[in-house]
Amino acid sequence: MAEISVKRLKTSLPICKIHRPFVGSRVKQNLPAVVEESLCGVSTMLMEIAYRLDALANIFEQDDIALPRVAAFFHEHSAQEQAQAEAMLDYLSDRGGQYCNKDIQRPGCEEVCAVIPALELMLGHWKEEMAVMVELSQLSKEHSDPHSASVVKSRFLGPLVPRVKLLGDLLTNAHRVGCTIDRSGGFGEYLINQLQEELTNVTSG
């Protein structure tokens, strides 16, 4: 039986506008269409963030910047974002939902060439991601899908809290040691790359 059409509510969630629910799924139970569309859209958002962080990592690997621990830090968190995207896709599949393949947007961070603006961009993404996960959890509750609400809160929202704190600390230290906001660089970038515990743990772990 075809799924009842649900009026789409105004939301800031990256809902998949081309989504077509998988009507014939035998495992789908109590997965509202708007939640399925949101899970699909948020999965794509996570992939785009992973792509952007990987692009930032590649910038810091260039020979005219050469900050290998900073690059490794961005690579590490890019991999974590990709893993989160895949985990959300797995959850969507487990609930009988369907993912719509879409083109991933270009990173758009080619002009970033210093530690501080890169960290600020990363922090902005994580704050946006936190807001999206809060709204997705709330949306699931409002549409009588407590399971999705719980999974989003514990599996996807929870890990973001210490990440945002980590980025705030890194930015504070980057400003403290005199990192620049352009390609000129200086001793501050060297100190961050060599001594910052959060970065050295990435390459030694």
Side-chain angles (χ1 to χ4, degrees):
M1 185 174 68
E3 198 169 296
I4 298 174
S5 176
V6 178
K7 184 179 180 181
R8 296 183 181 182
L9 303 177
K10 293 184 68 175
T11 175
S12 60
L13 284 169
I15 291 178
C16 178
K17 297 179 181 179
I18 63 171
H19 193 75
R20 295 293 180 269
F22 185 31
V23 178
S25 173
R26 295 182 178 180
V27 300
K28 182 181 288 188
Q29 182 178 3
N30 192 34
L31 180 61
V34 68
V35 176
E36 181 178 349
E37 293 168 1
S38 298
L39 288 169
C40 181
V42 173
S43 298
T44 300
M45 182 195 77
L46 294 176
M47 293 180 200
E48 290 175 347
I49 292 175
Y51 187 15
R52 193 163 291 122
L53 295 185
D54 196 58
L56 289 171
N58 293 334
I59 289 173
F60 292 109
E61 288 178 337
Q62 295 174 6
D63 58 6
D64 59 337
I65 299 180
L67 298 173
R69 288 192 176 93
V70 173
F73 177 77
F74 280 96
H75 276 310
E76 174 74 13
H77 286 286
S78 171
Q80 290 179 12
E81 289 291 333
Q82 184 63 35
Q84 288 292 75
E86 292 171 2
M88 184 164 285
L89 290 178
D90 288 342
Y91 176 71
L92 180 61
S93 177
D94 290 344
R95 291 293 305 277
Q98 177 174 282
Y99 177 71
C100 305
N101 289 320
K102 296 178 286 296
D103 293 333
I104 303 300
Q105 298 297 315
R106 288 174 58 86
C109 55
E110 294 82 2
E111 299 302 317
V112 177
C113 55
V115 171
I116 288 178
L119 291 176
E120 288 175 342
L121 181 62
M122 191 179 192
L123 181 60
H125 283 319
W126 282 353
K127 285 183 175 180
E128 178 187 3
E129 191 176 328
M130 282 185 71
V132 164
M133 295 305 175
V134 168
E135 187 172 351
L136 179 54
S137 179
Q138 186 62 36
L139 181 76
S140 300
K141 289 180 182 178
E142 292 173 355
H143 285 79
S144 303
D145 185 4
H147 189 269
S148 291
S150 176
V151 169
V152 169
K153 185 175 181 179
S154 61
R155 177 69 177 83
F156 299 98
L157 177 59
L160 285 169
V161 176
R163 289 191 196 180
V164 169
K165 174 63 166 61
L166 167 66
L167 258 294
D169 291 346
L170 281 172
L171 269 169
T172 296
N173 289 336
H175 283 287
R176 182 176 293 148
V177 299
C179 289
T180 63
I181 59 173
D182 55 34
R183 192 178 287 269
S184 61
F187 194 57
E189 281 74 12
Y190 173 81
L191 289 176
I192 284 289
N193 186 69
Q194 294 296 323
L195 302 178
Q196 188 64 42
E197 181 181 359
E198 291 85 353
L199 303 185
T200 56
N201 285 345
V202 171
T203 53
S204 63

